[in-house]
Amino acid sequence: FSYQYTEEEARKLGVVGWVKNTSQGTVTGQVQGPEDKVNAMKSWLSKVGSPSSRIDRTNFSNEKEIPKLDFTGFSTRY
């Protein structure tokens, strides 16, 4: 999974958070920002993704309104 495209898309949309590969071969992460921007990122993650990725299923959970952002940018965690 190449994160360059994910980080680029997040910056373009103006969302913050992080992504990382799991040992199960899946990707996990957190996205924060205005609802419309988060929804646009969710759509991109569900339908487009990075060129080398194969998207079988997406699962978004723990969605809630927050008073302030916990992150200042979008990064890859290892």
Side-chain angles (χ1 to χ4, degrees), residues 4 10-11 14-16 18-20 29-32 38 40 44 48 50-53 58-59 64 71 73 76:
Q4 169 193 349
R11 276 194 288 276
V15 296
V16 297
W18 56 271
V19 286
K20 77 177 226 176
Q30 191 173 81
V31 177
Q32 295 181 351
V38 170
W44 186 85
V48 185
S50 59
S52 60
S53 65
T58 52
N59 177 28
K64 60 183 185 250
F71 311 99
T76 301

Side-chain angles (χ1 to χ4, degrees), residues 1-11 16-22 27-30 41 50 71 73-78:
F1 189 80
S2 169
Y3 293 112
Q4 169 193 349
Y5 298 96
T6 306
E7 290 179 16
E8 201 174 284
E9 189 67 18
R11 276 194 288 276
V16 297
W18 56 271
V19 286
K20 77 177 226 176
N21 284 324
T22 70
V27 176
T28 187
Q30 191 173 81
M41 188 68 184
S50 59
F71 311 99
F74 200 89
S75 62
T76 301
R77 293 184 176 178
Y78 297 97

